[in-house]
Amino acid sequence: MQHYPVFLNTRAARIVLSGGGEAALAKLRLLLKTEADLSVFAPEAAPDIIAWAEAGALTLYRRRLQAEDVAGAALVYAADEDKDQDLQTATLARSARVLLNIVDSLEGSDFITPAIVDRDPVTIAIGTEGAAPVLARQIKADLEARLPASLGALARIGKAFRRAAEALPMGRARRAFWSDYYSETGPASIAKGEAATKAALDSLLAQHLAKGPAEGHVIFAGAGPGDPELLTLKARHALHEADVVIYDRLVSPAILELARREALMLNAGKEGFGAAMTQADINALIVEHAAAGAQVLRLKGGDPAVFARLDEEIEALEARDIAFSIIPGITAASAAAAALSQSLTKRGRNTEARLVTGHDMQGYADQDWKSLARTGEVAAIYMGKRAARFLQGRLLMHGATANTPVSLVENASLPNQRIIATTLGQLPSALAEAALTGPALTLLGLAPRDAAPPTLKQEVAQ
Ligand code: SAH
């Protein structure tokens, strides 16, 4: 982000523009919507500019810009469409240390004017840092079509009501009120006029005040394997609503970005920064926030019900009578199988596929190993990197063949996804060679669909 977007307060600010032609007109049309004190310097000015000056909307000086004109200005526009004159304006602005825009010169400018969707006081600024003006215009057209013209009035009436709404406790209760206003009550009443909308606000507030204090609630949601597009719509919605988000190490930053900016974001998986939180700590953290009335989102990688200690967290809530709900997510096994273009189950090959944890394999009984060792079996092994040698030994001992395909999928669904296709016989050496650093799923019994005979093969997807 080379250009940082801000909204400049133009009240009592002086904005200076040099130029009197088409470029000046284009800038002035926008600047006239602000509250700035506008000074235009042009020996020759277009009729519109003269008319604006006569109407008192700006001050027109029929001469070239000089050093003293620039002093104390908030912004300077070089809009003469003449290289030499623009350069002179630029020099004056620079020596007075005033932010400068040279029309149509990205490189020479300190700031640029974005494409704007104007529903005053709702203003949307769109910028592409000069990379794609056509795209900016498309986005603008999209938004113009999508946002009703009444949006501005809605926001203005809302603004005037902010004081009154302070009767509601800060946080969730007040947010729920405004959310009702902007999504339902407001749009429904604005067509009937301002008075009707104000009356609707009054009765909406009375309704909300009559509600008791908010009860805490916990949503356990799966964030999927990492790609934000693999987040469910429900999880996305929950992220948007949550007061507190307690997330695991595997939840990608791109997904956390979707939370409200005011939400309290708590990392429950700080591995690598000293000791990770214990499960008891995490349970206590969830309970603490929910008991205080917060809408808590417990966000876990993949699916919250797959190797994610969901039951322990639920039991902690049940012990305190705290309500909860569960939003499933796409588990790593699904994403890894998709990366191989394979099914987890297939007619005639395997009628069951197992989800196995590499953590607890020591406790596997003989019959488990025997069935897992059968030709055609498919198992998705989570947290299996460390158990690879043990797994190989047991499976071979129980009759698996050394050329059983095994695929490792690291960072499934992410841009840095890697697939390592190997065999049971070569699993430990393939793992050592691949030096995986991200989360990886081991798929026993599956090779990538396009794989040649199952020999050691590495590939980088995408
Ligand atoms: N609840 C999660 C699993 C948590 S256990 C789920 O449903 O996916 C953590 C293990 O999941 C990791 O050790 C790894 O084996 C696997 N895993 C999670 N995300 C992954 C990803 N993007 N790619 C590959 N494996 C992943």
Side-chain angles (χ1 to χ4, degrees), residues 354-357 360-366 368-369 372 394:
R354 280 188 244 188
L355 306 184
V356 179
T357 163
D360 299 334
M361 285 204 126
Q362 313 280 352
Y364 245 52
D366 258 5
D368 297 327
W369 287 115
L372 208 57
R394 286 300 155 108

Side-chain angles (χ1 to χ4, degrees), residues 362-380:
Q362 313 280 352
Y364 245 52
D366 258 5
Q367 73 268 20
D368 297 327
W369 287 115
K370 240 180 241 152
S371 60
L372 208 57
R374 281 196 306 248
T375 308
E377 283 300 304
V378 170

Side-chain angles (χ1 to χ4, degrees), residues 225 250 301-303 306-308 331-332 381-384 409-412 439-441:
L250 284 177
D303 183 275
V306 175
F307 303 129
T331 189
I381 303 162
Y382 291 71
M383 300 169 276
V409 183
E410 183 194 32
N411 295 316
L441 193 92

Side-chain angles (χ1 to χ4, degrees), residues 367-457:
Q367 73 268 20
D368 297 327
W369 287 115
K370 240 180 241 152
S371 60
L372 208 57
R374 281 196 306 248
T375 308
E377 283 300 304
V378 170
I381 303 162
Y382 291 71
M383 300 169 276
K385 276 189 281 185
R386 253 180 252 158
R389 190 169 288 279
F390 178 73
L391 175 82
Q392 180 204 40
R394 286 300 155 108
L395 286 174
L396 292 177
M397 192 174 102
H398 286 85
T401 58
N403 69 355
T404 302
V406 177
S407 300
L408 292 141
V409 183
E410 183 194 32
N411 295 316
S413 85
L414 290 162
N416 56 350
Q417 168 179 291
R418 273 208 298 171
I419 297 172
I420 289 111
T422 182
T423 61
L424 188 58
Q426 292 178 331
L427 176 61
S429 58
L431 247 178
E433 192 182 322
L436 304 176
T437 52
L441 193 92
T442 309
L443 283 168
L444 174 71
L446 287 183
R449 184 174 293 277
D450 61 357
T455 51
L456 179 61
K457 176 181 163 198

Side-chain angles (χ1 to χ4, degrees), residues 77-113:
Y77 281 89
D80 281 281
E81 300 165 88
D82 174 296
K83 265 214 163 101
D84 294 336
Q85 184 55 45
D86 284 348
L87 201 67
Q88 259 183 9
T89 306
T91 311
L92 294 178
R94 294 254 147 75
S95 54
R97 294 182 182 273
V98 177
L99 290 176
L100 164 78
N101 175 272
I102 305 177
V103 173
D104 288 335
S105 168
L106 181 67
E107 286 311 312
S109 296
D110 300 322
F111 70 93
I112 48 184
T113 315

Side-chain angles (χ1 to χ4, degrees), residues 204-265:
L204 185 68
L205 180 62
Q207 259 176 46
H208 277 254
L209 282 171
K211 285 185 193 169
E215 292 226 333
H217 182 266
V218 178
I219 295 179
F220 294 97
D227 178 352
E229 295 207 331
L230 291 179
L231 198 63
T232 63
L233 291 174
K234 266 199 169 175
R236 206 192 152 122
H237 185 72
L239 250 169
H240 202 70
E241 298 280 303
D243 302 310
V244 180
V245 180
I246 302 176
Y247 61 93
D248 277 349
R249 191 172 51 92
L250 284 177
V251 178
S252 66
I255 287 173
L256 296 176
E257 282 274 316
L258 300 171
R260 281 183 313 111
R261 238 189 282 173
E262 312 81 66
L264 181 60
M265 305 297 289

